[in-house]
Amino acid sequence: MILGIDIGGTTVKCGIVSHEGEISEVRVFSTPGWVESKGFVESLKIEIGNYLKDFPSIKGVGMGFPGLLSPDRKKVVLLANIPSVVNAPVIELLNSTYPGIVFRMENDAKCAALGEHYFGENKGIDNYMMITLGTGVGGGIIIDKKLFIGARGNAAEIGHVLVSNGKTLEKNIGINHLIKIAVEKLKNYEGKSLLKGKDITPKVISECAAQGDELSKEIWKSVGYYLGEALVGVIRLFDLNTFLIGGGISGAFDHFVPEMTRVIKENLPSYYTDDLTIKKAKLGNDAGLLGAAGLIIENFNLEREL
Amino acid sequence: MILGIDIGGTTVKCGIVSHEGEISEVRVFSTPGWVESKGFVESLKIEIGNYLKDFPSIKGVGMGFPGLLSPDRKKVVLLANIPSVVNAPVIELLNSTYPGIVFRMENDAKCAALGEHYFGENKGIDNYMMITLGTGVGGGIIIDKKLFIGARGNAAEIGHVLVSNGKTLEKNIGINHLIKIAVEKLKNYEGKSLLKGKDITPKVISECAAQGDELSKEIWKSVGYYLGEALVGVIRLFDLNTFLIGGGISGAFDHFVPEMTRVIKENLPSYYTDDLTIKKAKLGNDAGLLGAAGLIIENFNLEREL
């Protein structure tokens, strides 16, 4: 039995994951709540303990952290939202508290890529990149059926490459930034817009775009434009031709894909675009939790034939 | 005995390379000359034949091509300057013409990275990127002491990532583009400049910059700016912290490095910049030829302990 833990800036989602990728016994906690009460690491330790008590057949715990990890995957080295976890000896602490249990950690976006690798539609595909569009914009790259972690362990950070307005991709299309930009555009917009008077969220912008609202369509076009620019670079640097898009913003896939595709085709020769596949990920919000559990499957060599 | 061949848009440089990285018996040919006379592939075959006749102890021939290669490294799939070589069965043809000799090919910028790996200053360094700044802007990445070729064989093409003016890096800092941009800037420049009346080359711009010429310094600053932007993306995507800069433009290293470094530091947290090393490559123009020969050393497992 495996426990998967998907740690985000807002919530920590835990669940038992079967070898077939079914999730059960889900428990969701508030990340700031953990930080403010007993401290993040202590709360993590306690809640893992509760699972181990309730489900004594758990053999391993896989965790996804929304930050940069040490090359040996024993601690977090950069995580702005949860400073107390940075450089804390998380794996060492859990190992000494719960001997006999296997603990593994990985970056959350890389977990999402692994989730698709073990349980998703891209099972069996040798090379692809999974891009998670949420509050953060993250990436996980699978090369030759293995997670590519780069020179020092934290590769594939597509959210932080620069695009043509001189800002990072995340500062253009990460959910909070996107909302802020949309609100600003709406304020300065002289035409009529269905967005006016509404509480702006990606979902609302998608709904209005679906109803033909010009400003909403323009906002998604801009998302597609910057994502396309970043992808041109990634394609040239990794020679990848398969991409999965997941995360909250992927709900607007159909709205931003045309412009994204236009930018890519405008900037790349046919060698790169002929067999290019960019599709919406199917696992949805569970990809990260499933990928975290996948770390343990990998550890026990229990993976199914891919 | 190994023959290394470095193929460029202007010249084809051949030379015998010892296991210590000494080059001898150099012969240089005109690339357009080969294309116009007997055709490129036929000329390549003939001149290799001449070497094999003159030096019967040659056991292998390594070649660097300035284009994209097939995953099996048996042919070129994209090379704008020498269209006749695209999809020609180069390795097959050479194998059947000269049985008993080992033939290998690799992208020229990746050869330069391998040259530094086998014979240069970065011998023994597990992870780095070599960037070649010339007519073309190319890259070669070494991860875990191996050449990283990505998903389909043609990774590390840093020259074709987009920078903030919406153009590729190469279209800003590749030699011909750089000269064109400099000529244009000079034409519109209202102040005094040492460049006026001169035949503009990267060397002349460097000399004028060294004498304090403001316009020349501005031109190099712009090179540093765009290179810095591209490097921010590469560092985030590969988590690399060691870079070597080679090629013709690297002569101006001291002129563009300050702005490049400023852009990198402005856009990356200390995790990435604390141990960042970006230095000028030492092998110079020989890196490509040495790396091509290195392909054969690798083939025979004759490499020295790295």
Side-chain angles (χ1 to χ4, degrees), chain A residues 185-219:
Chain A
K185 278 188 174 171
L186 181 61
K187 213 170 67 185
N188 299 321
Y189 193 64
E190 291 181 356
K192 283 183 185 176
S193 172
L194 296 174
L195 290 174
K196 280 188 180 163
K198 290 206 172 73
D199 197 11
I200 308 294
T201 65
K203 195 160 169 259
V204 166
I205 309 172
S206 283
E207 285 163 0
C208 292
Q211 290 169 55
D213 182 60
E214 288 303 325
L215 179 59
S216 302
K217 289 199 286 185
E218 188 190 309
I219 291 166

PDB file of all heavy atoms in Angstrom, chain A residues 185-219:
ATOM      1  N   LYS A 185      -6.686  44.868 -17.790  1.00  0.00           N
ATOM      2  CA  LYS A 185      -7.148  45.030 -19.180  1.00  0.00           C
ATOM      3  C   LYS A 185      -8.616  45.463 -19.213  1.00  0.00           C
ATOM      4  O   LYS A 185      -9.010  46.303 -20.020  1.00  0.00           O
ATOM      5  CB  LYS A 185      -6.987  43.713 -19.958  1.00  0.00           C
ATOM      6  CG  LYS A 185      -5.585  43.487 -20.488  1.00  0.00           C
ATOM      7  CD  LYS A 185      -5.520  42.277 -21.428  1.00  0.00           C
ATOM      8  CE  LYS A 185      -4.128  42.163 -22.053  1.00  0.00           C
ATOM      9  NZ  LYS A 185      -3.921  40.923 -22.793  1.00  0.00           N
ATOM     10  N   LEU A 186      -9.398  44.855 -18.324  1.00  0.00           N
ATOM     11  CA  LEU A 186     -10.838  45.166 -18.270  1.00  0.00           C
ATOM     12  C   LEU A 186     -11.047  46.633 -17.890  1.00  0.00           C
ATOM     13  O   LEU A 186     -11.892  47.327 -18.455  1.00  0.00           O
ATOM     14  CB  LEU A 186     -11.525  44.236 -17.261  1.00  0.00           C
ATOM     15  CG  LEU A 186     -13.031  44.406 -17.079  1.00  0.00           C
ATOM     16  CD1 LEU A 186     -13.781  44.139 -18.377  1.00  0.00           C
ATOM     17  CD2 LEU A 186     -13.548  43.467 -15.975  1.00  0.00           C
ATOM     18  N   LYS A 187     -10.221  47.085 -16.940  1.00  0.00           N
ATOM     19  CA  LYS A 187     -10.326  48.468 -16.459  1.00  0.00           C
ATOM     20  C   LYS A 187     -10.087  49.459 -17.599  1.00  0.00           C
ATOM     21  O   LYS A 187     -10.737  50.494 -17.694  1.00  0.00           O
ATOM     22  CB  LYS A 187      -9.303  48.687 -15.339  1.00  0.00           C
ATOM     23  CG  LYS A 187      -9.755  49.647 -14.263  1.00  0.00           C
ATOM     24  CD  LYS A 187      -8.820  49.646 -13.053  1.00  0.00           C
ATOM     25  CE  LYS A 187      -7.435  50.194 -13.354  1.00  0.00           C
ATOM     26  NZ  LYS A 187      -6.516  50.062 -12.201  1.00  0.00           N
ATOM     27  N   ASN A 188      -9.132  49.101 -18.467  1.00  0.00           N
ATOM     28  CA  ASN A 188      -8.771  50.023 -19.553  1.00  0.00           C
ATOM     29  C   ASN A 188      -9.529  49.749 -20.852  1.00  0.00           C
ATOM     30  O   ASN A 188      -9.252  50.365 -21.873  1.00  0.00           O
ATOM     31  CB  ASN A 188      -7.266  49.928 -19.823  1.00  0.00           C
ATOM     32  CG  ASN A 188      -6.461  50.322 -18.598  1.00  0.00           C
ATOM     33  OD1 ASN A 188      -6.827  51.254 -17.891  1.00  0.00           O
ATOM     34  ND2 ASN A 188      -5.395  49.587 -18.337  1.00  0.00           N
ATOM     35  N   TYR A 189     -10.443  48.785 -20.809  1.00  0.00           N
ATOM     36  CA  TYR A 189     -11.113  48.354 -22.042  1.00  0.00           C
ATOM     37  C   TYR A 189     -12.285  49.283 -22.340  1.00  0.00           C
ATOM     38  O   TYR A 189     -13.134  49.531 -21.483  1.00  0.00           O
ATOM     39  CB  TYR A 189     -11.606  46.918 -21.861  1.00  0.00           C
ATOM     40  CG  TYR A 189     -12.035  46.238 -23.147  1.00  0.00           C
ATOM     41  CD1 TYR A 189     -11.109  45.999 -24.157  1.00  0.00           C
ATOM     42  CD2 TYR A 189     -13.354  45.837 -23.332  1.00  0.00           C
ATOM     43  CE1 TYR A 189     -11.491  45.358 -25.328  1.00  0.00           C
ATOM     44  CE2 TYR A 189     -13.741  45.187 -24.496  1.00  0.00           C
ATOM     45  CZ  TYR A 189     -12.802  44.959 -25.485  1.00  0.00           C
ATOM     46  OH  TYR A 189     -13.178  44.324 -26.639  1.00  0.00           O
ATOM     47  N   GLU A 190     -12.322  49.785 -23.544  1.00  0.00           N
ATOM     48  CA  GLU A 190     -13.352  50.762 -23.880  1.00  0.00           C
ATOM     49  C   GLU A 190     -14.608  50.144 -24.479  1.00  0.00           C
ATOM     50  O   GLU A 190     -15.691  50.726 -24.430  1.00  0.00           O
ATOM     51  CB  GLU A 190     -12.773  51.831 -24.802  1.00  0.00           C
ATOM     52  CG  GLU A 190     -11.760  52.694 -24.038  1.00  0.00           C
ATOM     53  CD  GLU A 190     -11.162  53.805 -24.883  1.00  0.00           C
ATOM     54  OE1 GLU A 190     -11.467  53.869 -26.086  1.00  0.00           O
ATOM     55  OE2 GLU A 190     -10.387  54.590 -24.315  1.00  0.00           O
ATOM     56  N   GLY A 191     -14.464  48.932 -25.044  1.00  0.00           N
ATOM     57  CA  GLY A 191     -15.623  48.272 -25.645  1.00  0.00           C
ATOM     58  C   GLY A 191     -16.505  47.617 -24.587  1.00  0.00           C
ATOM     59  O   GLY A 191     -16.269  47.733 -23.376  1.00  0.00           O
ATOM     60  N   LYS A 192     -17.534  46.930 -25.041  1.00  0.00           N
ATOM     61  CA  LYS A 192     -18.372  46.147 -24.132  1.00  0.00           C
ATOM     62  C   LYS A 192     -17.686  44.824 -23.846  1.00  0.00           C
ATOM     63  O   LYS A 192     -17.032  44.252 -24.722  1.00  0.00           O
ATOM     64  CB  LYS A 192     -19.723  45.858 -24.793  1.00  0.00           C
ATOM     65  CG  LYS A 192     -20.669  47.053 -24.778  1.00  0.00           C
ATOM     66  CD  LYS A 192     -22.011  46.671 -25.372  1.00  0.00           C
ATOM     67  CE  LYS A 192     -22.907  47.897 -25.474  1.00  0.00           C
ATOM     68  NZ  LYS A 192     -24.180  47.597 -26.136  1.00  0.00           N
ATOM     69  N   SER A 193     -17.832  44.322 -22.627  1.00  0.00           N
ATOM     70  CA  SER A 193     -17.279  43.001 -22.319  1.00  0.00           C
ATOM     71  C   SER A 193     -18.173  42.285 -21.315  1.00  0.00           C
ATOM     72  O   SER A 193     -18.657  42.905 -20.354  1.00  0.00           O
ATOM     73  CB  SER A 193     -15.862  43.127 -21.755  1.00  0.00           C
ATOM     74  OG  SER A 193     -15.431  41.857 -21.309  1.00  0.00           O
ATOM     75  N   LEU A 194     -18.372  41.009 -21.535  1.00  0.00           N
ATOM     76  CA  LEU A 194     -19.156  40.192 -20.608  1.00  0.00           C
ATOM     77  C   LEU A 194     -18.473  40.083 -19.246  1.00  0.00           C
ATOM     78  O   LEU A 194     -19.086  39.691 -18.250  1.00  0.00           O
ATOM     79  CB  LEU A 194     -19.359  38.790 -21.180  1.00  0.00           C
ATOM     80  CG  LEU A 194     -20.175  38.694 -22.479  1.00  0.00           C
ATOM     81  CD1 LEU A 194     -20.164  37.257 -23.014  1.00  0.00           C
ATOM     82  CD2 LEU A 194     -21.614  39.138 -22.229  1.00  0.00           C
ATOM     83  N   LEU A 195     -17.170  40.400 -19.225  1.00  0.00           N
ATOM     84  CA  LEU A 195     -16.424  40.295 -17.968  1.00  0.00           C
ATOM     85  C   LEU A 195     -16.823  41.383 -16.967  1.00  0.00           C
ATOM     86  O   LEU A 195     -16.632  41.216 -15.765  1.00  0.00           O
ATOM     87  CB  LEU A 195     -14.916  40.401 -18.241  1.00  0.00           C
ATOM     88  CG  LEU A 195     -14.253  39.234 -18.974  1.00  0.00           C
ATOM     89  CD1 LEU A 195     -12.805  39.564 -19.278  1.00  0.00           C
ATOM     90  CD2 LEU A 195     -14.340  37.950 -18.147  1.00  0.00           C
ATOM     91  N   LYS A 196     -17.372  42.476 -17.499  1.00  0.00           N
ATOM     92  CA  LYS A 196     -17.651  43.630 -16.628  1.00  0.00           C
ATOM     93  C   LYS A 196     -18.606  43.285 -15.486  1.00  0.00           C
ATOM     94  O   LYS A 196     -19.634  42.638 -15.692  1.00  0.00           O
ATOM     95  CB  LYS A 196     -18.192  44.794 -17.456  1.00  0.00           C
ATOM     96  CG  LYS A 196     -17.037  45.511 -18.149  1.00  0.00           C
ATOM     97  CD  LYS A 196     -17.417  46.799 -18.858  1.00  0.00           C
ATOM     98  CE  LYS A 196     -16.143  47.381 -19.482  1.00  0.00           C
ATOM     99  NZ  LYS A 196     -16.393  48.379 -20.509  1.00  0.00           N
ATOM    100  N   GLY A 197     -18.226  43.652 -14.296  1.00  0.00           N
ATOM    101  CA  GLY A 197     -19.047  43.401 -13.120  1.00  0.00           C
ATOM    102  C   GLY A 197     -18.884  42.004 -12.543  1.00  0.00           C
ATOM    103  O   GLY A 197     -19.418  41.698 -11.480  1.00  0.00           O
ATOM    104  N   LYS A 198     -18.125  41.144 -13.254  1.00  0.00           N
ATOM    105  CA  LYS A 198     -17.949  39.765 -12.751  1.00  0.00           C
ATOM    106  C   LYS A 198     -16.705  39.645 -11.882  1.00  0.00           C
ATOM    107  O   LYS A 198     -15.768  40.437 -11.982  1.00  0.00           O
ATOM    108  CB  LYS A 198     -17.844  38.800 -13.935  1.00  0.00           C
ATOM    109  CG  LYS A 198     -19.132  38.616 -14.711  1.00  0.00           C
ATOM    110  CD  LYS A 198     -19.138  37.249 -15.389  1.00  0.00           C
ATOM    111  CE  LYS A 198     -20.480  36.929 -16.007  1.00  0.00           C
ATOM    112  NZ  LYS A 198     -20.738  37.716 -17.244  1.00  0.00           N
ATOM    113  N   ASP A 199     -16.707  38.607 -11.028  1.00  0.00           N
ATOM    114  CA  ASP A 199     -15.525  38.267 -10.253  1.00  0.00           C
ATOM    115  C   ASP A 199     -14.601  37.476 -11.196  1.00  0.00           C
ATOM    116  O   ASP A 199     -14.933  36.357 -11.596  1.00  0.00           O
ATOM    117  CB  ASP A 199     -15.969  37.408  -9.060  1.00  0.00           C
ATOM    118  CG  ASP A 199     -14.898  37.340  -7.985  1.00  0.00           C
ATOM    119  OD1 ASP A 199     -13.925  38.117  -8.059  1.00  0.00           O
ATOM    120  OD2 ASP A 199     -15.039  36.494  -7.084  1.00  0.00           O
ATOM    121  N   ILE A 200     -13.457  38.062 -11.550  1.00  0.00           N
ATOM    122  CA  ILE A 200     -12.612  37.475 -12.604  1.00  0.00           C
ATOM    123  C   ILE A 200     -11.851  36.240 -12.112  1.00  0.00           C
ATOM    124  O   ILE A 200     -11.050  36.325 -11.173  1.00  0.00           O
ATOM    125  CB  ILE A 200     -11.596  38.510 -13.137  1.00  0.00           C
ATOM    126  CG1 ILE A 200     -12.292  39.809 -13.559  1.00  0.00           C
ATOM    127  CG2 ILE A 200     -10.773  37.940 -14.293  1.00  0.00           C
ATOM    128  CD1 ILE A 200     -13.209  39.696 -14.728  1.00  0.00           C
ATOM    129  N   THR A 201     -12.104  35.102 -12.744  1.00  0.00           N
ATOM    130  CA  THR A 201     -11.330  33.876 -12.525  1.00  0.00           C
ATOM    131  C   THR A 201     -11.057  33.283 -13.905  1.00  0.00           C
ATOM    132  O   THR A 201     -11.736  33.635 -14.865  1.00  0.00           O
ATOM    133  CB  THR A 201     -12.117  32.835 -11.707  1.00  0.00           C
ATOM    134  OG1 THR A 201     -13.258  32.430 -12.496  1.00  0.00           O
ATOM    135  CG2 THR A 201     -12.601  33.374 -10.367  1.00  0.00           C
ATOM    136  N   PRO A 202     -10.084  32.365 -14.001  1.00  0.00           N
ATOM    137  CA  PRO A 202      -9.846  31.732 -15.303  1.00  0.00           C
ATOM    138  C   PRO A 202     -11.126  31.096 -15.859  1.00  0.00           C
ATOM    139  O   PRO A 202     -11.382  31.166 -17.061  1.00  0.00           O
ATOM    140  CB  PRO A 202      -8.789  30.672 -14.982  1.00  0.00           C
ATOM    141  CG  PRO A 202      -8.042  31.233 -13.826  1.00  0.00           C
ATOM    142  CD  PRO A 202      -9.068  31.955 -13.003  1.00  0.00           C
ATOM    143  N   LYS A 203     -11.932  30.491 -14.962  1.00  0.00           N
ATOM    144  CA  LYS A 203     -13.164  29.839 -15.407  1.00  0.00           C
ATOM    145  C   LYS A 203     -14.127  30.857 -16.027  1.00  0.00           C
ATOM    146  O   LYS A 203     -14.714  30.612 -17.101  1.00  0.00           O
ATOM    147  CB  LYS A 203     -13.829  29.139 -14.210  1.00  0.00           C
ATOM    148  CG  LYS A 203     -14.901  28.155 -14.590  1.00  0.00           C
ATOM    149  CD  LYS A 203     -15.168  27.154 -13.473  1.00  0.00           C
ATOM    150  CE  LYS A 203     -16.424  26.342 -13.760  1.00  0.00           C
ATOM    151  NZ  LYS A 203     -17.610  26.814 -13.015  1.00  0.00           N
ATOM    152  N   VAL A 204     -14.275  32.001 -15.367  1.00  0.00           N
ATOM    153  CA  VAL A 204     -15.161  33.060 -15.880  1.00  0.00           C
ATOM    154  C   VAL A 204     -14.654  33.575 -17.232  1.00  0.00           C
ATOM    155  O   VAL A 204     -15.434  33.771 -18.173  1.00  0.00           O
ATOM    156  CB  VAL A 204     -15.270  34.207 -14.843  1.00  0.00           C
ATOM    157  CG1 VAL A 204     -15.889  35.459 -15.479  1.00  0.00           C
ATOM    158  CG2 VAL A 204     -16.090  33.757 -13.642  1.00  0.00           C
ATOM    159  N   ILE A 205     -13.327  33.750 -17.344  1.00  0.00           N
ATOM    160  CA  ILE A 205     -12.768  34.246 -18.615  1.00  0.00           C
ATOM    161  C   ILE A 205     -13.012  33.215 -19.721  1.00  0.00           C
ATOM    162  O   ILE A 205     -13.303  33.558 -20.867  1.00  0.00           O
ATOM    163  CB  ILE A 205     -11.261  34.574 -18.499  1.00  0.00           C
ATOM    164  CG1 ILE A 205     -10.984  35.489 -17.289  1.00  0.00           C
ATOM    165  CG2 ILE A 205     -10.748  35.251 -19.781  1.00  0.00           C
ATOM    166  CD1 ILE A 205      -9.497  35.708 -16.985  1.00  0.00           C
ATOM    167  N   SER A 206     -12.935  31.926 -19.359  1.00  0.00           N
ATOM    168  CA  SER A 206     -13.218  30.862 -20.335  1.00  0.00           C
ATOM    169  C   SER A 206     -14.679  30.885 -20.764  1.00  0.00           C
ATOM    170  O   SER A 206     -14.992  30.786 -21.950  1.00  0.00           O
ATOM    171  CB  SER A 206     -12.909  29.483 -19.739  1.00  0.00           C
ATOM    172  OG  SER A 206     -11.535  29.257 -19.730  1.00  0.00           O
ATOM    173  N   GLU A 207     -15.572  31.006 -19.794  1.00  0.00           N
ATOM    174  CA  GLU A 207     -17.011  31.023 -20.104  1.00  0.00           C
ATOM    175  C   GLU A 207     -17.357  32.196 -21.010  1.00  0.00           C
ATOM    176  O   GLU A 207     -18.090  32.048 -21.985  1.00  0.00           O
ATOM    177  CB  GLU A 207     -17.828  31.104 -18.807  1.00  0.00           C
ATOM    178  CG  GLU A 207     -17.871  29.775 -18.051  1.00  0.00           C
ATOM    179  CD  GLU A 207     -18.322  29.918 -16.591  1.00  0.00           C
ATOM    180  OE1 GLU A 207     -18.603  31.046 -16.161  1.00  0.00           O
ATOM    181  OE2 GLU A 207     -18.357  28.880 -15.898  1.00  0.00           O
ATOM    182  N   CYS A 208     -16.802  33.364 -20.698  1.00  0.00           N
ATOM    183  CA  CYS A 208     -17.076  34.551 -21.518  1.00  0.00           C
ATOM    184  C   CYS A 208     -16.477  34.385 -22.919  1.00  0.00           C
ATOM    185  O   CYS A 208     -17.096  34.773 -23.914  1.00  0.00           O
ATOM    186  CB  CYS A 208     -16.541  35.807 -20.845  1.00  0.00           C
ATOM    187  SG  CYS A 208     -17.453  36.224 -19.335  1.00  0.00           S
ATOM    188  N   ALA A 209     -15.262  33.805 -22.987  1.00  0.00           N
ATOM    189  CA  ALA A 209     -14.646  33.573 -24.303  1.00  0.00           C
ATOM    190  C   ALA A 209     -15.524  32.633 -25.134  1.00  0.00           C
ATOM    191  O   ALA A 209     -15.719  32.840 -26.332  1.00  0.00           O
ATOM    192  CB  ALA A 209     -13.239  32.991 -24.137  1.00  0.00           C
ATOM    193  N   ALA A 210     -16.080  31.612 -24.472  1.00  0.00           N
ATOM    194  CA  ALA A 210     -16.948  30.651 -25.173  1.00  0.00           C
ATOM    195  C   ALA A 210     -18.199  31.332 -25.711  1.00  0.00           C
ATOM    196  O   ALA A 210     -18.771  30.901 -26.715  1.00  0.00           O
ATOM    197  CB  ALA A 210     -17.320  29.509 -24.225  1.00  0.00           C
ATOM    198  N   GLN A 211     -18.596  32.416 -25.037  1.00  0.00           N
ATOM    199  CA  GLN A 211     -19.767  33.178 -25.510  1.00  0.00           C
ATOM    200  C   GLN A 211     -19.387  34.265 -26.512  1.00  0.00           C
ATOM    201  O   GLN A 211     -20.208  35.109 -26.866  1.00  0.00           O
ATOM    202  CB  GLN A 211     -20.491  33.803 -24.310  1.00  0.00           C
ATOM    203  CG  GLN A 211     -21.205  32.771 -23.429  1.00  0.00           C
ATOM    204  CD  GLN A 211     -21.667  33.394 -22.113  1.00  0.00           C
ATOM    205  OE1 GLN A 211     -22.374  34.390 -22.102  1.00  0.00           O
ATOM    206  NE2 GLN A 211     -21.251  32.786 -21.018  1.00  0.00           N
ATOM    207  N   GLY A 212     -18.124  34.252 -26.945  1.00  0.00           N
ATOM    208  CA  GLY A 212     -17.706  35.176 -27.994  1.00  0.00           C
ATOM    209  C   GLY A 212     -17.193  36.522 -27.510  1.00  0.00           C
ATOM    210  O   GLY A 212     -16.939  37.417 -28.319  1.00  0.00           O
ATOM    211  N   ASP A 213     -16.993  36.658 -26.213  1.00  0.00           N
ATOM    212  CA  ASP A 213     -16.518  37.941 -25.683  1.00  0.00           C
ATOM    213  C   ASP A 213     -15.096  38.252 -26.185  1.00  0.00           C
ATOM    214  O   ASP A 213     -14.161  37.470 -25.974  1.00  0.00           O
ATOM    215  CB  ASP A 213     -16.523  37.870 -24.139  1.00  0.00           C
ATOM    216  CG  ASP A 213     -16.097  39.187 -23.514  1.00  0.00           C
ATOM    217  OD1 ASP A 213     -16.778  40.201 -23.763  1.00  0.00           O
ATOM    218  OD2 ASP A 213     -15.062  39.192 -22.811  1.00  0.00           O
ATOM    219  N   GLU A 214     -14.945  39.405 -26.840  1.00  0.00           N
ATOM    220  CA  GLU A 214     -13.667  39.743 -27.488  1.00  0.00           C
ATOM    221  C   GLU A 214     -12.525  39.897 -26.497  1.00  0.00           C
ATOM    222  O   GLU A 214     -11.423  39.401 -26.727  1.00  0.00           O
ATOM    223  CB  GLU A 214     -13.815  41.035 -28.310  1.00  0.00           C
ATOM    224  CG  GLU A 214     -14.633  40.871 -29.592  1.00  0.00           C
ATOM    225  CD  GLU A 214     -14.083  39.797 -30.528  1.00  0.00           C
ATOM    226  OE1 GLU A 214     -12.844  39.636 -30.593  1.00  0.00           O
ATOM    227  OE2 GLU A 214     -14.898  39.093 -31.163  1.00  0.00           O
ATOM    228  N   LEU A 215     -12.760  40.600 -25.420  1.00  0.00           N
ATOM    229  CA  LEU A 215     -11.690  40.812 -24.440  1.00  0.00           C
ATOM    230  C   LEU A 215     -11.222  39.482 -23.836  1.00  0.00           C
ATOM    231  O   LEU A 215     -10.023  39.246 -23.685  1.00  0.00           O
ATOM    232  CB  LEU A 215     -12.160  41.764 -23.329  1.00  0.00           C
ATOM    233  CG  LEU A 215     -11.125  42.042 -22.227  1.00  0.00           C
ATOM    234  CD1 LEU A 215      -9.846  42.648 -22.804  1.00  0.00           C
ATOM    235  CD2 LEU A 215     -11.700  42.961 -21.148  1.00  0.00           C
ATOM    236  N   SER A 216     -12.189  38.613 -23.518  1.00  0.00           N
ATOM    237  CA  SER A 216     -11.832  37.300 -22.958  1.00  0.00           C
ATOM    238  C   SER A 216     -10.997  36.502 -23.965  1.00  0.00           C
ATOM    239  O   SER A 216     -10.005  35.855 -23.600  1.00  0.00           O
ATOM    240  CB  SER A 216     -13.094  36.510 -22.605  1.00  0.00           C
ATOM    241  OG  SER A 216     -13.878  37.240 -21.691  1.00  0.00           O
ATOM    242  N   LYS A 217     -11.405  36.572 -25.235  1.00  0.00           N
ATOM    243  CA  LYS A 217     -10.640  35.861 -26.267  1.00  0.00           C
ATOM    244  C   LYS A 217      -9.231  36.434 -26.381  1.00  0.00           C
ATOM    245  O   LYS A 217      -8.259  35.692 -26.542  1.00  0.00           O
ATOM    246  CB  LYS A 217     -11.374  35.943 -27.606  1.00  0.00           C
ATOM    247  CG  LYS A 217     -12.648  35.081 -27.641  1.00  0.00           C
ATOM    248  CD  LYS A 217     -13.123  34.775 -29.049  1.00  0.00           C
ATOM    249  CE  LYS A 217     -13.766  35.984 -29.704  1.00  0.00           C
ATOM    250  NZ  LYS A 217     -14.340  35.672 -31.035  1.00  0.00           N
ATOM    251  N   GLU A 218      -9.129  37.745 -26.253  1.00  0.00           N
ATOM    252  CA  GLU A 218      -7.828  38.414 -26.332  1.00  0.00           C
ATOM    253  C   GLU A 218      -6.924  37.976 -25.175  1.00  0.00           C
ATOM    254  O   GLU A 218      -5.724  37.775 -25.348  1.00  0.00           O
ATOM    255  CB  GLU A 218      -8.066  39.925 -26.295  1.00  0.00           C
ATOM    256  CG  GLU A 218      -6.825  40.759 -26.560  1.00  0.00           C
ATOM    257  CD  GLU A 218      -7.100  42.239 -26.257  1.00  0.00           C
ATOM    258  OE1 GLU A 218      -8.119  42.763 -26.770  1.00  0.00           O
ATOM    259  OE2 GLU A 218      -6.320  42.833 -25.490  1.00  0.00           O
ATOM    260  N   ILE A 219      -7.519  37.817 -23.991  1.00  0.00           N
ATOM    261  CA  ILE A 219      -6.737  37.382 -22.818  1.00  0.00           C
ATOM    262  C   ILE A 219      -6.169  35.976 -23.058  1.00  0.00           C
ATOM    263  O   ILE A 219      -4.997  35.718 -22.811  1.00  0.00           O
ATOM    264  CB  ILE A 219      -7.598  37.438 -21.531  1.00  0.00           C
ATOM    265  CG1 ILE A 219      -7.879  38.912 -21.181  1.00  0.00           C
ATOM    266  CG2 ILE A 219      -6.914  36.722 -20.360  1.00  0.00           C
ATOM    267  CD1 ILE A 219      -8.986  39.119 -20.154  1.00  0.00           C
TER     268      ILE A 219
END
